[in-house]
Amino acid sequence: MILLSFYPLFLMLRESFLESYINTKYVIEPVINIRNEGQIGKPVQSSHDLASPINWENNIIEVLTKDSGVEAPKGVLAKEVKHIMSISIMVNGKEASFPTEAWLKPNITKDSDYLSWLNILKIYDKKKNKNQLAIIQRLTGDWKKGENIEENMQAQKWRVLYVESDKQVSEEIFSYIDRGDHLLGVKLVQLSSQSNSFIGFKSDISYLLPNILFPIVYPTGIFSVGVILLIIGSIRFFVARKAENL
């Protein structure tokens, strides 16, 4: 029973350790209210920050969106028609990197229309005592009808543009497969909702929807019972051996 449940418990504990490791190194905060979240008891107001330049630490960040006029493939969860659009990120008047593709509503009216395709977060590095701005983008399409969800999940890819206070811009691109080598990038993807599914740093096991069977019965319960039986068995074994010696 211990052997049967050891590996999934190891994966869960590793995710917990990596989560704590990132949290001890960085403080990450949203720059814009892309989810249109409001305070309890107050009406939610849609944010439009991406429609105009964003000024951060004397850096000017612009998100320029160009509609190709081509209708995007129908996503499984899509409730409305979307177009294939090109997004360019401008930092201080210069294009930070290559344009990316996103499937968005033809008429973008609020920041939440970009949700799952683009988000902006602020990072404070506790050790280096410095701030960064992170622009997180998903580079792969939605889960399409007829496509295997597992294949879509593993094909995911992201880009993070890091803007420094001294106007330097660096780029990080990683995929679902190699995400274990990009721990901060994964944390940014998690917090910015830039994934088609819940993802972990090296395994997704801790982000499965919990129920009675998992993780309470398996692997936690089975492992605990196995340990208890092992202890009882060991005690009885040593008691029997001691009785034989007497």
Side-chain angles (χ1 to χ4, degrees):
M1 294 176 74
I2 292 174
L3 291 176
L4 182 66
S5 54
F6 176 79
Y7 186 62
L9 271 178
F10 164 74
L11 295 179
M12 294 169 65
L13 289 173
R14 183 175 63 180
E15 287 299 308
S16 179
F17 170 78
L18 293 175
E19 178 84 20
S20 298
Y21 170 74
I22 290 296
N23 290 339
T24 57
K25 288 194 66 176
Y26 305 100
V27 176
I28 304 173
E29 301 175 348
V31 171
I32 57 177
N33 186 16
I34 204 166
R35 295 185 182 87
N36 289 335
E37 295 174 335
Q39 296 180 358
I40 297 176
K42 294 184 179 181
V44 176
Q45 295 184 349
S46 300
S47 60
H48 302 78
D49 297 304
L50 292 174
S52 57
I54 296 171
N55 192 326
W56 176 82
E57 297 280 345
N58 295 320
N59 287 280
I60 305 299
I61 292 89
E62 297 175 272
V63 177
L64 305 182
T65 306
K66 184 178 180 181
D67 191 348
S68 69
V70 178
E71 189 172 315
K74 188 72 173 178
V76 173
L77 304 176
K79 297 181 180 179
E80 53 192 349
V81 174
K82 295 184 177 181
H83 284 188
I84 297 176
M85 296 197 183
S86 175
I87 296 181
S88 297
I89 306 297
M90 308 294 290
V91 179
N92 301 317
K94 297 181 180 179
E95 192 165 11
S97 183
F98 58 87
T100 61
E101 182 182 286
W103 302 354
L104 303 172
K105 293 168 54 178
N107 298 314
I108 298 173
T109 59
K110 52 188 181 295
D111 289 339
S112 59
D113 290 335
Y114 288 94
L115 189 58
S116 87
W117 285 98
L118 182 146
N119 206 340
I120 303 178
L121 301 175
K122 184 171 68 175
I123 308 167
Y124 172 66
D125 189 320
K126 297 179 183 179
K127 184 176 181 180
K128 296 181 180 179
N129 189 29
K130 73 171 186 175
N131 290 309
Q132 289 178 304
L133 198 72
I135 305 165
I136 306 97
Q137 296 176 273
R138 177 163 59 95
L139 303 181
T140 47
D142 290 336
W143 175 26
K144 301 183 290 291
K145 289 185 176 180
E147 183 181 26
N148 183 280
I149 187 172
E150 186 73 19
E151 293 177 357
N152 176 269
M153 180 179 66
Q154 295 191 10
Q156 289 185 102
K157 196 173 184 179
W158 301 273
R159 178 176 77 179
V160 182
L161 295 173
Y162 297 97
V163 182
E164 310 287 345
S165 57
D166 62 359
K167 302 184 184 302
Q168 296 297 312
V169 180
S170 58
E171 182 179 59
E172 178 184 24
I173 296 176
F174 62 98
S175 67
Y176 175 89
I177 302 301
D178 64 6
R179 70 193 188 284
D181 298 325
H182 303 266
L183 299 181
L184 175 58
V186 172
K187 184 65 176 179
L188 294 173
V189 169
Q190 292 174 339
L191 294 177
S192 60
S193 301
Q194 299 303 300
S195 174
N196 288 337
S197 58
F198 294 109
I199 65 167
F201 296 96
K202 291 180 178 290
S203 168
D204 304 330
I205 191 169
S206 295
Y207 304 90
L208 300 174
L209 293 177
N211 54 62
I212 295 176
L213 292 179
F214 180 88
I216 298 174
V217 175
Y218 177 81
T220 308
I222 290 178
F223 182 85
S224 299
V225 172
V227 171
I228 292 171
L229 292 177
L230 179 63
I231 294 173
I232 293 174
S234 299
I235 291 174
R236 294 187 64 177
F237 173 77
F238 287 113
V239 168
R241 289 291 299 271
K242 187 175 181 179
E244 289 177 3
N245 293 334
L246 293 175

